[in-house]
Amino acid sequence: MTLRAGFLTPLRAEQVARDTWRLLDPLVYRSAVLRTTVTVPAGFASDGDSIPRWLPLVYAALKGHATAPAFIHDHAYQTHQAHDLPIMRAQADAALYEAAGTEGPGIFPTSDWRRWLLWSGVRVGGGWAWYTGPRRYSALRNYRVED
C-alpha cells in the first residue's frame, strides 16, 4: 500500500513580525517521501517561504505560494527530525517539494514549476539554514500560543 501525501489539518498561523509567522494550531502532514506523519506543534515560528527580496522576479513568482509546506520544511531544518526520526537535509528538501504539490483543508497544491524553483532554491542556498537549524530551534522554541 502506497502512503498518500497530504495535509491533514489546515494552516492556522498569525503574523508576529514582518517575516515571522507562528502556528496557532498543530500542522499535520502525511509524507510519502519521509514515510511518516509530521506534526509541527502549535507555537512553532517560521519565516514562511523565505524567498530573497534581492531576487525580485523569483520573489514575485513564489512568495506566498507554499506557506504550509514552508512550515514543514522549516521544522525539519530546525529539528533534523520527522516524527522523532532523524532525517538528512536532502529528505527535508524532498518533503518541501512533495508538500508543495499536495493539498489539505484550505491548502492547495503549487504548480510544478514553482515547486521546482522552491526545491532548487533550498538545495542551492539552504546549507547554512540546515547547519544552524537546531541552534535556531532552541532559541525560538519558547513561543507559546496565548488564548
Side-chain angles (χ1 to χ4, degrees):
M1 180 173 146
T2 303
L3 186 67
R4 182 182 159 121
F7 287 91
L8 304 179
T9 59
L11 173 64
R12 285 197 2 99
E14 67 177 345
Q15 190 168 9
V16 295
R18 180 177 178 197
D19 289 321
T20 306
W21 295 84
R22 181 178 61 186
L23 286 179
L24 297 173
D25 295 320
L27 181 63
V28 182
Y29 176 70
R30 184 175 49 227
S31 174
V33 299
L34 298 176
R35 292 186 230 147
T36 192
T37 299
V38 177
T39 301
V40 182
F44 181 79
S46 169
D47 60 358
D49 45 359
S50 49
I51 314 299
R53 284 181 169 69
W54 50 267
L55 294 170
L57 292 176
V58 175
Y59 183 84
L62 296 179
K63 190 63 179 170
H65 286 275
T67 305
F71 270 98
I72 302 299
H73 189 253
D74 284 2
H75 187 261
Y77 260 49
Q78 290 182 26
T79 64
H80 293 189
Q81 294 182 346
H83 193 72
D84 296 328
L85 301 171
I87 61 170
M88 303 299 293
R89 180 177 163 221
Q91 291 173 292
D93 295 345
L96 171 67
Y97 183 84
E98 173 191 62
T102 62
E103 58 190 332
I107 300 168
F108 303 98
T110 305
S111 65
D112 288 345
W113 69 271
R114 281 190 173 104
R115 290 170 60 202
W116 184 85
L117 277 177
L118 287 165
W119 176 82
S120 297
V122 296
R123 290 308 299 156
V124 170
W128 178 83
W130 174 262
Y131 176 74
T132 62
R135 190 174 26 202
R136 287 182 291 117
Y137 183 67
S138 293
L140 295 173
R141 72 185 308 168
N142 294 324
Y143 277 96
R144 285 190 24 223
V145 177
E146 301 291 332
D147 291 328

